[in-house]
Amino acid sequence: MVAVGPADRFDAFRALADRHGRPGDRLIASLAEAGAGTADGPESWAPTVAAHVGLPAAAALGPASYYADLATPHSRRHVRVCAATACFAAQSGRHLTDVEDALGVVAGTASPEGDVSVQAVRCLGYCYAGPAALDGGTPCTGPTLADQLTGREPPSAPGIPAADDTGDPVLLGGVLSGEPAWQVWPTAVTTSTPDEVLGEVAASKLQGRGGAGFRVAAKWEAAGRAPGTVVVANGDEGDPGSYADRLLMEADPARVLEGLALACFACGARQGVVLVRSEYPAALARIREAVGRAYADGHLGPSVHGTATALDIRLVEGAGSYVAGEETALIAGLEGGRGYARPRPPYPTERGLWDAPTVVNNVETLAAVPWIVRRGGEAYARRGTPAETGTKLVCLSERFARPGCYEVEIGTPVLRIVTELGGGLKDGAELAALQVGGPLGGFLAADGLDVPLSEAGLSARGAALGHAGLVAFDRRVAPQDVLRHVWEFAAAESCGACSPCRVGSRRGLEMASAGTPPGREWERLSRVLAEASLCAFGRRIPPAVQSLARVYGDRLTGWGP
C-alpha cells in the first residue's frame, strides 16, 4: 500500500482498523517490501513481517502464498511476461517460451545465480501491441520481445491509440482534447447537495462498467450514508483484452479522482480508496501524482474548498490476482487477507472494509460521473439504449488492423466495431473467433457479429459484456489451443475459496489437455461449476467454454451445451 498525502490524512483509516482489532492495513505492502529482491520463498520472510505487525505467522503466510506478486521469487531483475489472451493470440503463446529460452529462466522461478526472475502474468494492459513484458518497470512489446529483453533491440512500447465514435465523448474528452478535470467538483461541493448529485446519477441509469452491470445509484443508496462509509475506485482491471482503465488512470487520472470525489459526496463518505493493480506501474505513478495535486489545489482535505465537507483519498497497490478484482475479494485484500470472494449477504454496502459500509465502483464507471453531473442525468440516459444507457470504452487487440481504445454508444453493432473501427484483421487474416468481455466472457463466430454491444445482446449469444475487450483469433491458432488457454486461465486464477471452482477448473484443464472429447463428464462438471461456485468466476466458466465450442463446431466436439 502507498500512503498519499500527509500522514494524518489516514488516521481515520487506521482508527477504523484498530477499532476492529485488525492490524492488517499495511500487511500486503509490508510483505511486498520484504519479498522484493529475494529469490527466497515467503516461508523465509513472511513470519517476520507478521511478527512485526503483531499478527500470527499464518496471517502473513496466507496472503504471501496466495498473491502471485508475493509468491513468485523476485530477483534483482524481475521480468513479468504477459501470458494473457491477447498476447497468446498474437503468437499462439510462443513468446513465453522464447523469453524463457532467451533469459535462461523458467516462468515462476529465478536463475541459479539469483540475478533474474521471470513471472507469467495476466495481463499487462498492452493488448493492442502484444506480446508484452515488463522488465522491472520498463515495458517491452511486439514480435521482437525476447530481443528487447536481452538487449539486442531497445525496448518498444507504443502509447494506447484512442478514438471517439460518439461525437461527444463522455470518457475520452480529457484524453483526446485535453478537457480539464475538476471543473464539476468545486461547484458541486459548494452549491449542490448529496441528494442532487445522487439524483443526476439515478436519472442517468448508469450501470457499473466493471462487468456486473449493477445500477450505480442503487448501490450508492444501499450504503445509506451511514457513518464511516468508504468508497473504493476499483482499478484492478483484470480482464485480459481490456486496457480502458489503464488508459484513464494514465492519461486522465484527475477525472477518475473527480468521479470518486463526487461518489463520496453522494454517499456521505469522508474516505476514498483507489486500488491500482501492480501490473500498471505507470498508472500507479500518475494516480499518485494526481492525488498530491488534488490536495494542493484544495479538492481534498479536511475542509474541501472551504466547506464543511472533508474527504481523504489513499492509494493502494494490488499484488497480482484476477479474482481480487471482485468487490468482496478486493475488500479482503485491502484488509490484508487472501483475495477470496465472500458469500453475500451481507453485501459490502452493509458490511465491507473493516465492517464499514463500502461502495466499490470501477474506474470507468467513476470517470463517467463528472459528465453526468455537469450535463445532467437525462442527457446521459438519451445515449445508448433505453435499457442500457450511455457509452462504453471498447478495447481492440493486436490482431486488428487498427487496435486501440474506442468510445462507442452502448448498442453499437459488434460487426461495425470489428470491421469499420478496427478495420478487420491485420494483413488480411481471416477471423476465426472473437472473444468478448474477457476470458470468461464468451466467444462469437466470424459470421455471428451482428449483435449489439450490450449486456442483453451479448448474453443472448452466450457471451458477456464484461470490460468490453475484444480479442481476435485468426485461423493460425488451433481451436484446441484456445480451449486449453481458457482452462489454463481458469485453473491459474481460481481463488480456491470454493471446491467446485478450485477442483473443477483443474479437472477441466486436465480434460482439455488430454485432447479427447469429455462428453458426459464435462456435462456433470459444467452443472457443478455453474450451480455451486461461490462467485461469478466459477459460474462463468461453462458458458464461456460452451460459446467457444459453438464457434469452432465439430473441431471441439463434446464441449458444447
Side-chain angles (χ1 to χ4, degrees):
M1 297 180 187
V2 181
V4 181
D8 59 359
R9 298 290 190 216
F10 309 109
D11 286 347
F13 277 98
R14 297 191 182 99
L16 188 61
D18 292 342
R19 188 168 74 232
H20 294 283
R22 292 288 301 274
D25 192 49
R26 273 195 52 84
L27 179 59
I28 302 298
S30 298
L31 289 168
E33 292 165 4
T38 175
D40 296 334
E43 65 281 356
S44 67
W45 44 264
T48 303
V49 174
H52 181 70
V53 296
L55 291 170
L61 282 168
S65 60
Y66 172 82
Y67 292 101
D69 290 352
L70 305 179
T72 305
H74 277 57
S75 297
R76 290 184 296 275
R77 181 189 179 193
H78 186 64
V79 178
R80 287 179 281 186
V81 183
C82 184
T85 313
C87 288
F88 170 81
Q91 295 182 342
S92 300
R94 294 189 304 272
H95 68 288
L96 179 57
T97 302
D98 291 343
V99 169
E100 291 175 328
D101 292 343
L103 297 178
V105 182
V106 176
T109 68
S111 62
E113 299 80 11
D115 56 342
V116 181
S117 53
V118 174
Q119 177 185 354
V121 299
R122 305 168 181 85
C123 92
L124 294 174
Y126 288 89
C127 316
Y128 57 94
L134 277 176
D135 188 355
T138 302
C140 304
T141 66
T144 62
L145 184 62
D147 288 338
Q148 293 175 46
L149 292 171
T150 54
R152 289 191 289 269
E153 289 192 14
S156 173
I160 299 174
D164 171 58
D165 184 55
T166 69
D168 182 13
V170 172
L171 299 157
L172 293 183
V175 175
L176 298 177
S177 62
E179 177 185 283
W182 294 118
Q183 301 300 300
V184 179
W185 173 239
T187 301
V189 77
T190 54
T191 66
S192 299
T193 67
D195 281 337
E196 288 173 331
V197 173
L198 178 62
E200 294 296 347
V201 174
S204 74
K205 302 179 183 177
L206 174 67
Q207 294 174 285
R209 301 306 194 209
F214 195 77
R215 194 65 63 86
V216 173
K219 181 181 283 190
W220 291 5
E221 287 177 325
R225 294 183 188 143
T229 296
V230 180
V231 180
V232 180
N234 185 356
D236 196 355
E237 178 181 50
D239 273 358
S242 177
Y243 42 91
D245 289 355
R246 184 190 144 219
L247 173 65
L248 292 171
M249 289 188 288
E250 290 185 9
D252 200 5
R255 196 170 312 277
V256 175
L257 295 179
E258 185 177 22
L260 175 58
L262 290 164
C264 288
F265 185 62
C267 294
R270 298 164 62 93
Q271 310 289 341
V273 178
V274 183
L275 174 71
V276 182
R277 58 202 309 260
S278 64
E279 295 88 345
Y280 289 177
L284 188 71
R286 291 302 312 280
I287 291 285
R288 183 185 296 114
E289 294 169 1
V291 171
R293 286 196 300 271
Y295 273 107
D297 293 341
H299 299 310
L300 306 174
S303 177
V304 175
H305 293 298
T307 68
T309 297
L311 178 58
D312 288 309
I313 291 176
R314 68 164 177 166
L315 177 59
V316 179
E317 181 177 1
S321 168
Y322 175 83
V323 174
E326 189 273 338
E327 62 179 13
T328 63
L330 178 151
I331 290 167
L334 290 176
E335 293 175 341
R338 289 174 174 242
Y340 282 166
R342 296 172 174 174
R344 289 174 285 189
Y347 292 91
T349 50
E350 303 167 36
R351 290 176 56 192
L353 183 62
W354 304 114
D355 287 341
T358 303
V359 172
V360 181
N361 290 134
N362 101 303
V363 160
E364 183 180 338
T365 306
L366 293 171
V369 173
W371 192 99
I372 291 169
V373 175
R374 182 177 77 250
R375 302 276 290 271
E378 292 185 0
Y380 187 87
R382 288 193 290 270
R383 311 185 70 170
T385 70
E388 298 178 46
T389 63
T391 68
K392 183 78 186 74
L393 294 182
V394 179
C395 297
L396 275 58
S397 70
E398 174 271 346
R399 288 288 83 198
F400 286 94
R402 291 191 292 272
C405 185
Y406 297 85
E407 183 166 358
V408 303
E409 300 265 352
I410 293 287
T412 299
V414 174
L415 180 62
R416 179 173 179 274
I417 296 172
V418 169
T419 58
E420 296 183 26
L421 301 184
L425 271 57
K426 62 173 55 175
D427 301 325
E430 186 177 355
L431 179 68
L434 181 72
Q435 185 187 75
V436 184
L440 305 182
F443 293 82
L444 298 176
D447 60 357
L449 304 182
D450 56 337
V451 54
L453 187 85
S454 66
E455 186 58 52
L458 291 168
S459 295
R461 299 291 184 89
L465 180 61
H467 271 85
L470 303 186
V471 178
F473 287 88
D474 58 33
R475 295 192 175 274
R476 298 177 306 165
V477 186
Q480 196 67 36
D481 290 342
V482 181
L483 175 67
R484 186 164 51 250
H485 174 78
V486 171
W487 279 112
E488 285 173 347
F489 178 88
E493 295 296 340
S494 172
C495 78
C498 68
S499 296
C501 182
R502 182 182 66 250
V503 178
S505 60
R506 285 158 176 75
R507 181 56 188 145
L509 177 57
E510 290 173 359
M511 290 190 290
S513 299
T516 56
R520 290 189 176 181
E521 184 177 0
W522 160 237
E523 294 178 11
R524 292 193 295 269
L525 178 58
S526 176
R527 286 196 300 272
V528 171
L529 282 165
E531 298 174 10
S533 293
L534 180 61
C535 76
F537 183 91
R539 294 194 294 269
R540 278 299 312 169
I541 297 173
V545 171
Q546 289 162 359
S547 70
L548 181 64
R550 285 194 295 272
V551 167
Y552 283 116
D554 293 343
R555 302 172 75 183
L556 287 178
T557 302
W559 290 95

